[in-house]
């Protein structure tokens, strides 16, 4: 196990009826900006619950933060928040609204064009305080300090982390997920699953607790995923799904272990270029990546095959391929297409994607061994 420091300051408030606790969680006297997306919260009662809990506060609203939130939209929020002397933010929504709010709170204290800290995240050091009411279990953004922002003009999608962008608290009421369409539920299951895989399916660092935590989340998601997506809303299923997604990316399973994240990095390019949903890109890229990198990941792939899919018979190659096929079938059974050709996308952009990584000088994967050539090979494996 590698050395590590763990600190996660986000307070989780979990369960039925917990949005009402906003009344006592936001410090008195704050000028609050409430950020949200395209309006789903107005149709499912979340907006009303938030407003009722905050009736004593002066609140400015900023709506219209889009899925894959953009720099262009968020800069409008920054301008409004500065004009209104806002000193506290409340994000009400999914990963996009929360990530967008992390950008806003960082930009509020940044001297210069905020896109600079997207290019060089070490420049993101300070932020105004914020909290969240999560409406879509998927990203883990409600309990981490990461954020992914797109720029429309250049078709870029980049991530940053700031030591000060952990939410002060996050409210997770599983009942607010009842209004989610199947597409977003499926996206959430896949995103959470792949987050665990990025931190687990690397090489062994003899981190037994983290491995068992990770396998626990993966097994929970394979057990409940289809029921969550295709069944009627049921409280305990949604509660387990919601907690799985938070635990998948709040630092618990990454203590002292190597991490990959190449599926995410390549997937972000597919969203930036083609507008595919984040989780859809992961379901496309990951099976191909696991095949291309199977020798480096051999030991963990065999452990994954055994402990998550109970594949213990046959040759090593056979078990590895079967585990990858089971993973892909799991995504497909949730209604997610796993091939680029199914989205009408061919190989035209592959060279420019590989070129982008080469220009940035990024070396992907847990061993930094995924070169632009391998990225092209992985993308070729995504076609059909
Ligand atoms: O905009 P509204 O009207 O709210 O509708 C949203 C949106 O259209 C809707 N929705 C959310 N909650 C709902 C609901 N509809 C009905 N009922 C509800 N309760 O769902 C749509 C998608 O929302 P979005 O926030 O975009 O989805 P998600 O949570 O999957 O977030 C995706 C974004 O997060 C980034 C992704 O790259 C993408 O930009 N990620 C953030 C991470 C992080 N911060 O740690 C890690 C992830 O790997 C990921 O990259
Ligand atoms: Zn993700």
């Amino acid at each position: 196990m590698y050395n590590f420091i763990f600190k996660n300051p986000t307070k989780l408030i979990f369960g039925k009826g917990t949005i009402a606790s906003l009344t006592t969680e936001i410090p008195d006297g704050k000028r609050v900006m409430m950020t949200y997306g395209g309006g789903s919260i107005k149709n499912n009662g979340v907006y009303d619950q938030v407003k009722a809990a905050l009736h004593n506060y002066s609140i400015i609203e900023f709506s219209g933060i889009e899925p894959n939130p953009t720099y262009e939209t968020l800069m409008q929020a920054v301008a409004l928040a500065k004009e209104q002397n806002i000193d506290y933010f409340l994000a009400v929504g999914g990963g996009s609204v929360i990530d967008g709010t992390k950008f806003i709170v960082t930009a509020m204290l940044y001297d210069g064009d905020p896109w600079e800290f997207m290019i060089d995240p070490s420049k993101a050091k300070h932020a105004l305080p914020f909290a969240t009411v999560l409406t879509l279990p998927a990203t883990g953004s409600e309990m981490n300090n990461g954020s992914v922002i797109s720029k429309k003009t250049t078709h870029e999608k980049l991530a940053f982390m700031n030591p000060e962008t952990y939410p002060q608290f996050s409210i997770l009421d599983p009942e607010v997920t009842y209004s989610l369409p199947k597409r977003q539920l499926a996206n959430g299951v896949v995103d959470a699953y792949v987050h665990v895989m990025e931190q687990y399916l690397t090489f062994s660092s003899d981190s037994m607790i983290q491995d068992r935590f990770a396998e626990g989340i993966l097994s929970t998601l394979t057990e409940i995923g289809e029921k969550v997506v295709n069944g009627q809303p049921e409280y305990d299923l949604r509660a387990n799904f919601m907690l799985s997604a938070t635990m998948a990316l709040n630092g618990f399973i990454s203590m002292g272990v190597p991490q990959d994240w190449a599926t995410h990095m390549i997937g972000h390019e597919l969203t930036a270029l083609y507008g595919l949903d984040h989780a859809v890109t992961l379901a496309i890229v990951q099976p191909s990546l696991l095949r291309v990198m199977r020798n480096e990941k051999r030991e963990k792939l065999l452990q994954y095959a055994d402990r998550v899919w109970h594949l213990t018979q046959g040759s090593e190659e056979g078990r590895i391929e079967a585990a990858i096929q089971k993973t892909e079938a799991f995504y497909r059974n949730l209604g997610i297409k796993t091939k680029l050709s199914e989205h009408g996308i061919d190989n035209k952009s592959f060279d420019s994607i590989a070129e982008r990584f080469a220009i940035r000088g990024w070396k992907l994967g847990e061993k930094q061994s995924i070169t632009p050539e391998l990225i092209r090979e992985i993308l070729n494996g995504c076609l059909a």
Side-chain angles (χ1 to χ4, degrees), residues 50-62:
V50 170
K51 291 291 276 204
L54 293 180
H55 64 274
N56 280 335
Y57 291 80
S58 134
I59 297 180
I60 302 288
E61 294 182 21
F62 184 85

Side-chain angles (χ1 to χ4, degrees), residues 191 195 264 278 282:
D191 196 19
H195 290 160
H264 269 71
H278 171 62
L282 306 178

Side-chain angles (χ1 to χ4, degrees), residues 19 25 28 63 76 79 125 137 152 191 194 237 242-243 246 264 292 304 312 325 343 350 362 372:
I19 293 176
E25 291 297 333
D28 286 342
S63 64
Q76 294 172 27
K125 292 191 177 106
K152 272 192 230 164
D191 196 19
V194 177
L237 275 178
M242 207 167 203
L243 191 57
T246 301
H264 269 71
V292 171
Y304 169 66
T312 52
Q325 285 181 15
H343 296 276
F350 291 0
W362 291 357

Side-chain angles (χ1 to χ4, degrees), residues 136-324:
L136 199 178
T139 63
S141 191
E142 66 279 8
M143 201 178 175
N144 68 40
N145 64 339
S147 165
V148 190
I149 305 298
S150 300
K151 197 173 194 182
K152 272 192 230 164
T153 47
T154 53
H155 292 280
E156 284 170 285
K157 186 173 189 194
L158 298 173
F160 80 101
M161 285 184 203
N162 172 348
E164 297 191 356
T165 49
Y166 285 92
Q168 292 209 328
F169 64 89
S170 282
I171 296 182
L172 279 63
D173 180 345
E175 288 189 325
V176 310
T177 71
Y178 292 176
S179 58
L180 279 165
K182 277 188 185 189
R183 168 179 163 188
Q184 299 304 343
L185 289 166
N187 282 348
V189 173
V190 171
D191 196 19
Y193 197 85
V194 177
H195 290 160
V196 178
M197 294 283 271
E198 299 273 25
Q199 299 159 86
Y200 163 77
L201 224 150
T202 55
F203 55 86
S204 174
S205 57
D206 283 324
S207 301
M208 297 167 70
I209 305 281
Q210 296 87 320
D211 277 5
R212 297 282 186 191
F213 273 162
E215 288 152 359
I217 301 170
L218 295 173
S219 298
T220 303
L221 289 169
T222 56
E223 187 177 332
I224 66 174
E226 271 192 69
K227 291 180 210 154
V228 164
V229 174
N230 297 323
Q232 290 302 310
E234 201 186 300
Y235 183 80
D236 286 313
L237 275 178
R238 294 297 170 92
N240 282 299
F241 168 40
M242 207 167 203
L243 191 57
S244 296
T246 301
M247 293 303 291
L249 197 49
N250 64 358
F252 275 73
I253 62 170
S254 63
M255 292 180 202
V257 303
Q259 299 187 44
D260 181 345
W261 296 106
T263 295
H264 269 71
M265 293 302 133
I266 300 169
H268 288 169
E269 295 302 317
L270 296 174
T271 300
L273 291 171
Y274 301 108
L276 295 176
D277 287 356
H278 171 62
V280 172
T281 70
L282 306 178
I284 292 170
V285 174
Q286 191 207 34
S288 175
L289 181 137
L290 293 178
R291 287 193 177 98
V292 171
M293 302 308 294
R294 69 179 172 281
N295 284 332
E296 286 198 2
K297 293 176 179 291
R298 174 168 297 268
E299 195 185 343
K300 270 306 190 58
L301 275 165
L302 289 167
Q303 181 178 324
Y304 169 66
D306 174 3
R307 295 196 192 166
V308 177
W309 295 110
H310 314 297
L311 297 162
T312 52
Q313 307 295 314
S315 68
E316 288 193 354
E317 276 299 312
R319 277 177 275 152
I320 288 172
E321 179 54 28
I324 297 171

Side-chain angles (χ1 to χ4, degrees), residues 116-149:
E116 288 168 15
F117 66 74
M118 298 306 306
I119 304 279
D120 176 3
S122 69
K123 293 182 173 168
K125 292 191 177 106
H126 302 293
L128 287 176
F130 75 106
T132 87
V133 175
L134 179 69
T135 64
L136 199 178
T139 63
S141 191
E142 66 279 8
M143 201 178 175
N144 68 40
N145 64 339
S147 165
V148 190
I149 305 298

